[in-house]
Amino acid sequence: MSKSSSSSSSSSSSKVLHLKDKVSGNEADLALCNLTEVPVRELALFPKATVVDLSCNNITSIPPEFCSLIHLVKVDLSKNQLTCLPDDLGNLVNLQHLDLYNNKLTVLPVSFSQLRSLKWLDLKDNPLEPDLAKAAGDCLDEKQCKQCATKVLHHMRAIQDDVDRAREKRLLKEKELGRKKEVKQREREAREKEARKREKAEEKEKRRKEYNAQRAALAAKEQQKKKNEEKKKKNGQAAGMVLMSNVLSADKKVVVESAPKPRRSLVGLLFKLLLLLLLGLAGVAASCRLTELQREAVCVPINAALDDGLSWAREQEGVVRQLVQNLSTAAKEFLESTQTSKN
């Protein structure tokens, strides 16, 4: 064991032995011991010592642990240097006699009002604040000291009530602030919820407008396509009409131009008319065959006739080929017979 711990242990033991020497029955006489602090731990070892005399020392304060000595009934702290008492002094519920004469106290702890067993109190020669000094009185005899205990307890209970009201008011204020804060929180959450709802509605409306715009664009595109098809049909019809008009104009021109030329042969004139007619028919057939006019009622018989003509030409192709072959064979035989006759 170290030297410091050994000395501390021996010092503690000496205090216990010293206090034991001072205890007699239910009394512990620690007056005039030059104490600067209350030996709380040592007093706690003697729960039967309900009367403690700590007068005429140099004690400046009382530790909070002193308030745990609830077995104390009478305490004498007169003629010390106390400037304050512990806040939990009211825990000494069995305390009946308290002597605080000739100290430096100005106020008492609010918990003093809880000393309901207190019957005797002396606060003379303390620089008490005016209201407390008025409640304490002079305390020059037993009767006045008892009155001092009653009046001071009443005074401290009034202070306790004020403190309780102030605390209650503070709690109510804090509760009100909490309620207002909660209301603001709910309002903020409601605003945020409404904002989210509005954003969703705006997003939905935006998507709906985009969808309608796409539908409108598709409809416009389809309408433009139909217009283009109708325009093509009209252009095809106009081209056919122009071609037919040109053919007719050409025919008229041929007739007009051929009138003043009586010397041309009739066969040449008929050949030209036939050629122009064929050209006109070819233009009409091409218009009905190659343009959008092929679905029109006017072009149906023309396309049918053209198909029939082509079919007939394909059918006659074999006949013409056979005819040419026969003519070739006949010519060959004719040439051979002619050659033989010459020989």
Side-chain angles (χ1 to χ4, degrees), residues 134-137 146-157:
K134 182 177 179 181
K146 290 181 178 181
Q147 290 178 351
C148 175
T150 302
K151 290 181 179 180
V152 169
L153 283 176
H154 181 74
H155 175 73
M156 295 308 298
R157 285 167 185 164

Side-chain angles (χ1 to χ4, degrees), residues 174-190:
E174 291 176 355
K175 186 177 180 180
E176 181 66 17
L177 290 174
R179 188 186 66 80
K180 289 181 178 179
K181 185 177 180 180
E182 185 178 355
V183 170
K184 289 182 179 179
Q185 178 68 18
R186 288 199 298 267
E187 290 177 351
R188 183 169 63 254
E189 291 176 353

Side-chain angles (χ1 to χ4, degrees), residues 73 94-98 112 115-122 142-151 153 157:
V73 175
N94 294 311
L95 188 62
Q96 298 179 14
H97 186 109
L98 180 59
F112 197 93
L115 298 175
R116 302 187 182 277
S117 299
L118 189 65
K119 306 297 181 183
W120 195 95
L121 176 64
D122 189 355
E142 188 73 12
K143 182 179 179 181
Q144 288 183 349
C145 289
K146 290 181 178 181
Q147 290 178 351
C148 175
T150 302
K151 290 181 179 180
L153 283 176
R157 285 167 185 164

